[in-house]
């Protein structure tokens, strides 16, 4: 909803791909090589028929689509029924919205700068690597979310963990691994001086937001770090009418911090 709101306010018309299917996310490529290309390849083929660039909010989907495009750009491979001509571009949503021309549009709509809101930007590991697939310009130390949040008026702290893995879907099979990885992220964010974490990946948001009380219990250390998806904070700075609805679905209270900063 926050993505639709922000894009709508910027005059960006989003068209859903008819009959799209799951890209295989992080699992298919480790179990079936054919499906790992065919599943996202099918969506690429459908998008090429429409003739519009793809803007992908999920970095895992983005990574799989870019991988399929890389594999299929010369044409169908083996018995693969799909090809990718390269006529359309596949964008990660954060990269798409943080282009200079869109940053100017975003800045022009700010009604309340995120003054004194102290954050770190967490990109996760899927949107930028490997660079030969993602074409990321700064795959080890991305800056586009840092620039976007600074444009909104937030205080953005540098840290060395912005592209570390949160454990992704291991949260189902090995929650102990996810708890260990995420607890490290909490500690490093606090050490950097952050009061909140801003993400561009929904899986990362889930893994950082949902188990925070459990991680506090396991490690006997109280954590209270709101986890915001970056378009939510664009909406906050614009005084979007539905912000309360978006934030009401978080598990770690995201509103108290904003109230303390006079932003809610």
């Amino acid at each position: 909803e926050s993505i639709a709101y922000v894009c709508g306010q910027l005059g960006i018309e989003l068209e859903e791909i008819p009959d799209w299917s799951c890209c295989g996310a992080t699992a298919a490529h480790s179990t079936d090589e054919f499906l790992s290309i065919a599943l996202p390849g099918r969506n690429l083929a459908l998008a090429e028929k429409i003739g519009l660039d793809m803007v992908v909010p999920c970095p895992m989907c983005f990574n799989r689509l870019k991988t399929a495009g890389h594999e299929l750009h010369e044409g169908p491979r083996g018995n693969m029924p799909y090809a990718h001509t390269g006529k359309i571009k596949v964008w990660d949503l954060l990269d798409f919205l943080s282009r200079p021309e869109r940053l100017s549009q975003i800045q022009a709509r700010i009604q309340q700068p995120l003054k004194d809101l102290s954050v770190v930007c967490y990109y996760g590991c899927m949107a930028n690597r490997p660079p030969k697939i993602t074409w990321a310009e700064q795959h080890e130390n991305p800056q586009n979310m840092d620039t976007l949040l600074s444009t909104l008026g937030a205080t953005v702290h540098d840290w060395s963990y912005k592209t570390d893995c949160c454990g992704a879907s291991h949260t189902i099979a090995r929650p102990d691994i996810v708890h260990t990885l995420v607890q490290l992220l909490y500690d490093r964010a606090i050490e950097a001086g952050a009061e909140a974490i801003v993400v561009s990946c929904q899986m990362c948001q889930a893994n950082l937001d949902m188990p925070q009380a459990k991680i506090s219990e396991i490690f006997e250390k109280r954590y209270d770090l709101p986890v915001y998806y970056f378009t939510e904070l664009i909406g906050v700075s614009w005084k979007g009418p539905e912000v309360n609805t978006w934030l009401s679905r978080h598990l770690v209270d995201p509103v108290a911090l904003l109230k303390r900063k006079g932003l809610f």
Side-chain angles (χ1 to χ4, degrees):
E1 289 171 2
S2 67
I3 292 167
Y5 170 75
V6 168
C7 288
Q9 293 296 306
L10 295 175
I12 299 166
E13 185 177 346
L14 301 176
E15 181 175 334
E16 187 171 337
I17 298 173
D19 197 33
W20 63 270
S21 50
C22 177
C23 69
T26 57
H29 73 279
S30 64
T31 57
D32 191 306
E33 183 181 2
F34 175 82
L35 282 178
S36 72
I37 303 302
L39 289 170
R42 177 180 179 273
N43 290 325
L44 283 174
L46 290 172
E48 285 201 341
K49 287 182 180 179
I50 300 172
L52 299 175
D53 285 352
M54 295 182 74
V55 177
V56 190
C58 171
M60 289 187 291
C61 296
F62 169 75
N63 194 289
R64 298 315 307 162
L65 287 162
K66 291 287 286 187
T67 299
H70 179 79
E71 293 292 326
L72 299 174
H73 79 283
E74 297 292 346
R77 191 183 68 172
N79 60 345
M80 189 68 61
Y82 309 113
H84 178 53
T85 66
K87 291 180 181 178
I88 64 169
K89 184 168 182 176
V90 180
W91 290 91
D92 167 60
L93 177 68
L94 172 62
D95 193 25
F96 182 76
L97 289 179
S98 60
R99 297 279 113 180
E101 64 277 14
R102 295 191 185 92
L103 280 178
S104 297
Q105 290 179 287
I106 289 169
Q107 187 173 33
R109 290 182 171 272
I110 294 174
Q111 296 186 44
Q112 54 175 12
L114 305 182
K115 185 180 179 182
D116 299 327
L117 184 64
S118 184
V119 304
V120 290
C121 294
Y122 179 57
Y123 298 77
C125 60
M126 301 297 290
N128 293 287
R129 297 194 297 246
K132 72 175 183 179
I133 299 295
T134 64
W135 301 350
E137 297 172 0
Q138 297 170 306
H139 61 280
E140 293 290 355
N141 185 21
Q143 295 293 322
N144 49 0
M145 186 166 26
D146 295 57
T147 300
L148 173 57
L149 267 293
S150 295
T151 299
L152 297 180
T155 299
V156 182
H157 297 275
D158 193 24
W159 65 325
S160 300
Y161 295 81
K162 59 173 64 174
T163 59
D164 275 28
C165 183
C166 70
S169 53
H170 277 93
T171 192
I172 304 299
R174 290 295 305 274
D176 57 314
I177 292 176
V178 171
H179 294 160
T180 299
L181 293 172
V182 172
Q183 193 256 352
L184 176 65
L185 294 173
Y186 294 160
D187 281 347
R188 297 300 179 260
I190 293 168
E191 287 177 11
E195 302 168 291
I197 300 173
V198 187
V199 299
S200 60
C201 171
Q202 295 87 350
M203 186 74 194
C204 294
Q205 183 172 24
N207 277 359
L208 269 64
D209 182 51
M210 292 175 65
Q212 201 166 129
K214 182 68 173 178
I215 291 172
S216 295
E217 178 185 331
I218 292 170
F219 292 94
E220 298 181 347
K221 187 174 181 179
R222 174 64 180 170
Y223 295 104
D224 186 21
L225 283 167
V227 184
Y228 301 100
Y229 190 74
F230 76 98
T231 51
E232 292 179 321
L233 289 183
I234 296 175
V236 170
S237 75
W238 289 354
K239 293 188 176 182
E242 300 298 324
V243 167
N244 188 47
T245 301
W246 313 334
L247 298 183
S248 69
R249 301 189 180 112
H250 291 224
L251 294 184
V252 179
D253 180 13
V255 173
L257 176 61
L258 297 178
K259 285 183 175 178
R260 292 200 301 271
K261 304 298 179 179
L263 297 169
F264 196 87

